[in-house]
Amino acid sequence: MLARALLSPRTSLRALAGSARARSSSVFGDACPLALTPAQLRGLAPGSVSILDASWHMPNSPRSPRSEHLQMRIPGAQFLDLDDVASQHPLALKHMMPSPDVFAKACENYGITPESHVVIYDTHGVFSSPRALYMFRAFGHHRSSILDGGLPAWIAHGCPTNKGDPDPVQKVTYPVPKLDDRVVRSYEQIVANSALDPSRDNLADIVLDARSQDRYLGTAPEPRAGLSSGHIPHSFSLPFTSLLNTTPMPSPAPLTSLPVPPSATAPALSAHPPQLGSEPARQPEPQPPQGDFPWVLPEQYATLKTSTQILSVLEDALGKERLEAVLEGRQGVVASCGSGMTAGVVWLALQMVGVKGSPAIYDESWTGYAMRPESKIEKAQ
């Protein structure tokens, strides 16, 4: 169709550009929500979103997110490897914030334009997708959202899935963006900040540590062999799991979610319209056993807590006065975790409650900090 249009003398370049934007731009415009429900994603017109599977597992996990993507994914989704779309690091750290050139090249290969609404999910529910969302928004691509509950929620609501090799995507042009360096913290900045007591100095950023509390206290080992546990001086413990709810996966899983080849599902997202609401649609009997799915579905999956619940968790971690300073932008806030991945969940929670200013992530997080012998590490007494 586009080739025929280019041959028509009556078709202007401006009109072609406008039609391309109409096909790819979001119905939300520039005000895309931070998170979508499965029903909201499924209600979007086919071709109006670019869907990315940003699943990631810990290095000691036997699971392969790329292999699982080929076995079962949301129709039209492409696999985003956060370890590949990343910058090189002198300590060989993974999934560091990519350079503008690397980010733009990846978007081009995914067929993403600046007008595209990018929807990101993972196979845990909410785990690695917020990190990918943080990356897009750090480069000014605000037409981006995560799927709350990820692939498990999509399946629980009886939505269709695909398997096999994905359809090829037409490469596009993505202008090299500018990184908002206010939302990324380096080791040197964290060390300088750790010398300041945020309860006495409003110039100090509040550092929120998303690891489990026992790792923060230094009473449990790190999953990375040889790495000390403990925490950065003056940081606060805020396990990322405290910002999430868990939802049971229906068992057996809905028949309508069994994966089929891409050509068998059309239109991709809107086939079998779902029932709207917070609860998954009840499926008629008989149901197939869960083993018919290509990999074992979780017994439960993570979803984001409500804004009211998030505020309560933040107040418990920081206290009322310190939380008010963060919410009003009078004090900066930085999320950290084990390697910079689940810090994205804390970053997303801060965004959801409307924190003013620019919440940041310490990109290296604890791995980069604790690997350096000169780093000051505090532990429970």
Side-chain angles (χ1 to χ4, degrees):
M1 181 182 297
L2 182 58
R4 290 197 297 270
L6 286 172
L7 295 175
S8 172
R10 297 182 181 180
T11 304
S12 67
L13 291 175
R14 179 176 297 179
L16 284 173
S19 64
R21 284 193 296 271
R23 288 192 302 273
S24 63
S25 63
S26 168
V27 296
F28 300 101
D30 289 327
C32 289
L34 291 162
L36 296 175
T37 65
Q40 287 174 318
L41 175 57
R42 204 169 178 184
L44 298 178
S48 67
V49 291
S50 295
I51 304 175
L52 298 177
D53 176 356
S55 298
W56 182 87
H57 303 301
M58 292 293 292
N60 55 359
S61 171
R63 295 178 62 179
S64 168
R66 190 182 292 272
S67 174
E68 291 178 359
H69 174 80
L70 294 176
Q71 297 173 49
M72 183 164 55
R73 61 182 179 275
I74 293 177
Q78 301 176 80
F79 184 70
L80 166 60
D81 190 330
L82 288 168
D83 287 339
D84 283 348
V85 184
S87 60
Q88 300 297 314
H89 191 277
L91 296 178
L93 302 181
K94 303 294 186 180
H95 48 262
M96 295 294 95
M97 181 67 76
S99 67
D101 287 332
V102 168
F103 176 79
K105 186 69 173 179
C107 288
E108 291 181 344
N109 291 334
Y110 292 130
I112 294 171
T113 71
E115 290 78 25
S116 300
H117 181 186
V118 178
V119 179
I120 308 159
Y121 72 89
D122 63 57
T123 53
H124 295 275
V126 178
F127 183 69
S128 52
S129 57
R131 169 69 195 205
L133 179 66
Y134 160 75
M135 177 180 71
F136 271 88
R137 297 216 170 191
F139 282 110
H141 195 113
H142 295 286
R143 295 187 176 199
S144 50
S145 314
I146 70 159
L147 176 62
D148 193 12
L151 184 61
W154 182 262
I155 294 169
H157 284 77
C159 300
T161 63
N162 283 164
K163 64 180 178 180
D165 292 331
D167 292 331
V169 175
Q170 184 175 359
K171 187 175 179 179
V172 297
T173 299
Y174 195 103
V176 177
K178 179 177 173 57
L179 174 66
D180 183 357
D181 55 14
R182 298 174 300 171
V183 303
V184 186
R185 292 292 186 275
S186 67
Y187 173 75
E188 292 74 19
Q189 289 172 315
I190 288 296
V191 169
N193 186 76
S194 69
L196 305 175
D197 185 346
S199 63
R200 300 178 181 179
D201 193 338
N202 288 337
L203 294 178
D205 287 333
I206 291 174
V207 178
L208 300 175
D209 192 324
R211 295 173 300 151
S212 63
Q213 190 172 52
D214 52 2
R215 289 167 62 189
Y216 169 89
L217 294 173
T219 57
E222 288 293 310
R224 294 164 179 83
L227 195 68
S228 173
S229 56
H231 61 268
I232 300 167
H234 295 126
S235 61
F236 295 82
S237 176
L238 182 66
F240 79 94
T241 52
S242 67
L243 300 165
L244 304 173
N245 290 322
T246 55
T247 302
M249 175 69 75
S251 181
L255 245 174
T256 51
S257 293
L258 283 171
V260 297
S263 59
T265 303
L269 297 181
S270 58
H272 314 298
Q275 297 179 11
L276 297 179
S278 58
E279 295 297 323
R282 291 189 176 183
Q283 301 299 315
E285 297 292 342
Q287 293 284 352
Q290 186 164 294
D292 285 352
F293 282 84
W295 42 270
V296 177
L297 299 178
E299 294 183 358
Q300 58 187 20
Y301 58 91
T303 57
L304 293 164
K305 286 190 172 180
T306 66
S307 295
T308 300
Q309 291 172 325
I310 290 171
L311 286 171
S312 178
V313 172
L314 290 171
E315 185 173 341
D316 288 343
L318 297 175
K320 185 175 181 180
E321 291 185 4
R322 195 172 289 116
L323 174 58
E324 288 179 353
V326 168
L327 292 173
E328 296 170 3
R330 291 185 282 110
Q331 199 151 16
V333 60
V334 181
S336 180
C337 62
S339 66
M341 187 63 71
T342 57
V345 178
V346 175
W347 170 88
L348 177 56
L350 294 169
Q351 296 285 350
M352 291 187 67
V353 296
V355 169
K356 295 181 180 179
S358 301
I361 287 181
Y362 172 28
D363 206 19
E364 297 179 347
S365 283
W366 184 251
T367 301
Y369 185 87
M371 284 180 70
R372 293 179 168 90
E374 66 270 25
S375 297
K376 294 182 179 180
I377 295 177
E378 292 189 348
K379 301 189 179 188
Q381 299 298 322

